[in-house]
Amino acid sequence: MNCSETQDNAVPYLLEELGGDFVSELEQHLAKCGKCRAELEELRFGVQTVTDRLMGDHFVSADQSAGSDTTSNNDSATRILESVMERVREDAASTGEIQISAARSSRLPWPNANTRTVLISCITFAAGVLLMLSVRSLWPLPASGTDAMAKQEQFADPNPSASGQVSLPETGSVRLTTIDNSFQGEGVLQLLYDFASGELHVYCENLKDPPEGQSYVLVCESTDGNALGSPASARSDSRAKSRQLCRVVPDETGFAQTVVPRLSRDEANTARVVLLADTQVHEEL
Amino acid sequence: MTNDREVRQERHEADVQLLRRVAEGQESALRDLILTYSPAVNYLCKRICGDELSANEVVSEVFWELWRRAATFDPRKSSVRSFLFMIARSRAIDVRRANSARHRALEAHREQVRSTTTNTQPDLADRGIMAAEFRLQLDSALSSIPQQQREAVELAFLDGMTHEEIAEHLDSPLGTIKTRIRSGLKKLRDLLNESGTGELP
């Protein structure tokens, strides 16, 4: 890499936009070129000047916070902190390297750099298995929920034996993504569980118009037959409440979104979700 | 102005101390940083991701990464604010890229940016992360640099677009965008330093 290339890519480098190989080449050049190092430092100074101002003057510091916002700021900070520490503990538990107590005074060994990527991949994969998301544009809904689930599993994850519990943080939210290649080439769907509201947000892409007289319906069904969205102590075997139906109406670009309300964390972990087009469910709605 | 510089210096030193404590595993220090900077991080993430739900998700990730990387922070090369900004920008861009289902929202967002940046007076009033005085300083500095440089810098720093995304968005060669941002940053740095507000070491 020459000086011109290095200086052209100095800002992308500072903004962490470059790939690993390119970064190595650039750093090798920087190590032997004082002129480019000077240019980089000059630009680092510029980046810091701007970013300091973007970050610096909108804060409620611990010692300055006052008034009506204090409580909400504290609550928000507590939620974020709990979420972070939960992830730290999960990370530590998954590596089996360290034990973390709530109050620590000693320095922590930092997790391996790849741990986060692996953790997210595991969560995403396990979530894909557990949620068994399947999309079919022309799939009649069987009369009973049990039959529906049996049908659904035909299109579920190709490796259903790889199941397990998904460890989700206590607070915050985790994005779960599953791609069903059987659906119109792409069929990208996304599930996002919001811990604060207990809502499961479902986003659909590339949906074609349903056949005439039919509607797309999202079915969210508990795997244990218990009612969804009820306190555990009040659960019953009522099939009527063991699934929730949400109408899904794609716009002209095939995009649609819907929300399954009132799901607990455990329910969101284990519920099966299927999108289908059917007259029967359309009438049921 | 001297007072402003001193206040910033004190803030910088306090932040560095907090981050050192975070590197030692002190949750209370992380809480103080969250309390101080989570509104700005949240705003930045929301602006880049395009929606609040994703932003909330990213904010926790940002501070989790801050916890992990605290020991690598070098106060000679960066401020804590800048360090946080880089983490937040990168994570928010990751989420935005992964979130293909929200691509349309991003397009709408970019369209909004496009219409905003055609205004000869940059409207930063609604970018609520900045206090009034600072807003005026950056507003003034941005309006003093060439329009094409200002546009590219705003897209990179306020809207979290990568250089490649900006080149595509503006239908300009990547090299041109790199040059505009590089030149714009140097001018902004000089202008903001001349304003007497002073940058952090």
Side-chain angles (χ1 to χ4, degrees):
Chain A
M1 184 175 290
N2 58 33
C3 291
S4 175
E5 288 175 306
T6 300
Q7 293 178 20
D8 274 351
N9 288 290
V11 178
Y13 170 72
L14 291 169
L15 293 177
E16 302 176 0
E17 293 179 10
L18 301 179
D21 291 343
F22 205 84
V23 168
S24 298
E25 287 183 35
L26 190 144
E27 290 179 340
Q28 283 174 13
H29 179 85
L30 286 171
K32 62 186 180 185
C33 181
K35 182 182 171 187
C36 285
R37 280 200 305 275
E39 171 76 3
L40 182 76
E41 289 311 308
E42 188 179 0
L43 288 168
R44 190 196 303 277
F45 204 30
V47 168
Q48 184 176 317
T49 301
V50 173
T51 55
D52 273 349
R53 281 160 176 74
L54 289 174
M55 296 293 290
D57 286 317
H58 180 71
F59 56 75
V60 182
S61 66
D63 55 331
Q64 289 178 325
S65 60
S68 59
D69 287 336
T70 304
T71 303
S72 61
N73 285 337
N74 281 331
D75 290 347
S76 175
T78 300
R79 282 197 299 274
I80 295 169
L81 181 65
E82 287 175 350
S83 175
V84 171
M85 298 318 299
E86 177 69 19
R87 289 188 68 174
V88 170
R89 280 185 279 274
E90 286 178 359
D91 203 11
S94 68
T95 60
E97 294 175 351
I98 53 176
Q99 294 293 320
I100 302 176
S101 61
R104 292 170 300 115
S105 57
S106 61
R107 183 187 178 90
L108 270 180
W110 300 109
N112 182 290
N114 293 325
T115 301
R116 177 172 161 269
T117 303
V118 171
L119 182 64
I120 291 174
S121 299
C122 289
I123 290 174
T124 305
F125 174 72
V129 172
L130 288 173
L131 292 169
M132 294 183 179
L133 189 65
S134 178
V135 179
R136 305 296 292 178
S137 59
L138 288 170
W139 182 20
L141 177 69
S144 77
T146 304
D147 289 342
M149 291 322 350
K151 276 272 189 182
Q152 177 189 341
E153 287 176 1
Q154 294 178 19
F155 309 107
D157 194 282
N159 184 15
S161 62
S163 60
Q165 290 299 310
V166 180
S167 296
L168 300 178
E170 295 287 349
T171 59
S173 58
V174 171
R175 185 178 309 287
L176 310 173
T177 303
T178 298
I179 299 176
D180 184 342
N181 292 322
S182 68
F183 178 70
Q184 297 177 5
E186 292 183 359
V188 178
L189 303 185
Q190 293 189 340
L191 302 178
L192 180 68
Y193 181 63
D194 183 356
F195 289 87
S197 64
E199 295 173 340
L200 183 66
H201 295 248
V202 183
Y203 301 89
C204 318
E205 249 189 347
N206 301 328
L207 288 178
K208 293 179 179 175
D209 288 338
E212 190 172 347
Q214 297 188 354
S215 297
Y216 283 116
V217 177
L218 186 90
V219 181
C220 180
E221 185 160 15
S222 71
T223 51
D224 58 6
N226 289 333
L228 286 171
S230 302
S233 59
R235 284 185 167 195
S236 69
D237 288 332
S238 168
R239 296 294 301 169
K241 294 181 180 178
S242 67
R243 64 177 184 171
Q244 295 188 24
L245 308 179
C246 303
R247 190 190 304 275
V248 174
V249 182
D251 64 16
E252 66 278 4
T253 67
F255 177 83
Q257 59 182 335
T258 189
V259 175
V260 182
R262 299 185 304 278
L263 289 181
S264 71
R265 175 188 175 198
D266 287 343
E267 288 170 339
N269 272 344
T270 58
R272 290 173 176 172
V273 181
V274 59
L275 183 69
L276 47 84
D278 187 77
T279 309
Q280 188 175 343
V281 179
H282 175 69
E283 293 169 353
E284 194 174 333
L285 276 171
Chain B
M1 292 300 180
T2 303
N3 284 339
D4 185 69
R5 187 188 297 268
E6 288 172 356
V7 167
R8 288 172 185 277
Q9 179 64 28
E10 286 175 8
R11 184 74 244 170
H12 170 68
E13 290 171 358
D15 285 346
V16 170
Q17 288 304 316
L18 281 173
L19 200 53
R20 281 184 181 147
R21 287 172 52 205
V22 170
E24 292 170 354
Q26 295 187 32
E27 291 181 27
S28 62
L30 181 64
R31 179 184 168 78
D32 283 350
L33 285 171
I34 291 171
L35 201 56
T36 300
Y37 291 114
S38 59
V41 170
N42 186 276
Y43 180 86
L44 178 68
C45 294
K46 188 161 63 176
R47 190 168 175 87
I48 294 174
C49 295
D51 69 282
E52 188 145 9
L53 206 55
S54 295
N56 291 338
E57 174 188 347
V58 177
V59 169
S60 292
E61 273 204 40
V62 168
F63 285 100
W64 179 71
E65 190 159 338
L66 183 71
W67 173 276
R68 289 177 59 243
R69 291 173 57 180
T72 69
F73 172 73
D74 184 349
R76 295 168 299 179
K77 291 187 174 180
S78 175
S79 65
V80 174
R81 300 172 192 177
S82 189
F83 192 55
L84 255 178
F85 177 92
M86 295 301 178
I87 295 173
R89 181 178 180 275
S90 295
R91 295 291 75 74
I93 289 173
D94 287 346
V95 168
R96 187 182 66 193
R97 283 176 170 168
N99 192 358
S100 60
R102 297 188 185 175
H103 180 69
R104 292 178 323 113
L106 173 63
E107 286 304 310
H109 164 71
R110 287 176 176 174
E111 183 58 39
Q112 186 182 3
V113 170
R114 191 180 296 122
S115 63
T116 300
T117 52
T118 55
N119 191 331
T120 54
Q121 293 297 320
D123 179 17
L124 295 175
D126 62 343
R127 291 171 177 167
I129 67 169
M130 292 167 281
E133 182 184 355
F134 165 66
R135 184 169 63 239
L136 290 174
Q137 291 165 2
L138 187 57
D139 188 9
S140 172
L142 280 168
S143 64
S144 299
I145 66 175
Q147 192 273 338
Q148 288 182 326
Q149 293 177 10
R150 170 168 59 83
E151 182 179 44
V153 168
E154 286 184 350
L155 289 172
F157 286 87
L158 293 173
D159 297 294
M161 287 190 192
T162 64
H163 283 63
E164 288 183 354
E165 288 171 334
I166 295 170
E168 184 182 349
H169 175 63
L170 297 178
D171 197 21
S172 299
L174 180 58
T176 302
I177 297 303
K178 288 176 178 174
T179 302
R180 286 180 190 169
I181 293 177
R182 190 158 53 126
S183 303
L185 275 176
K186 288 180 177 178
K187 287 175 183 163
L188 281 175
R189 179 208 58 192
D190 293 341
L191 287 165
L192 289 167
N193 290 338
E194 282 173 8
S195 74
T197 55
E199 71 295 334
L200 295 171

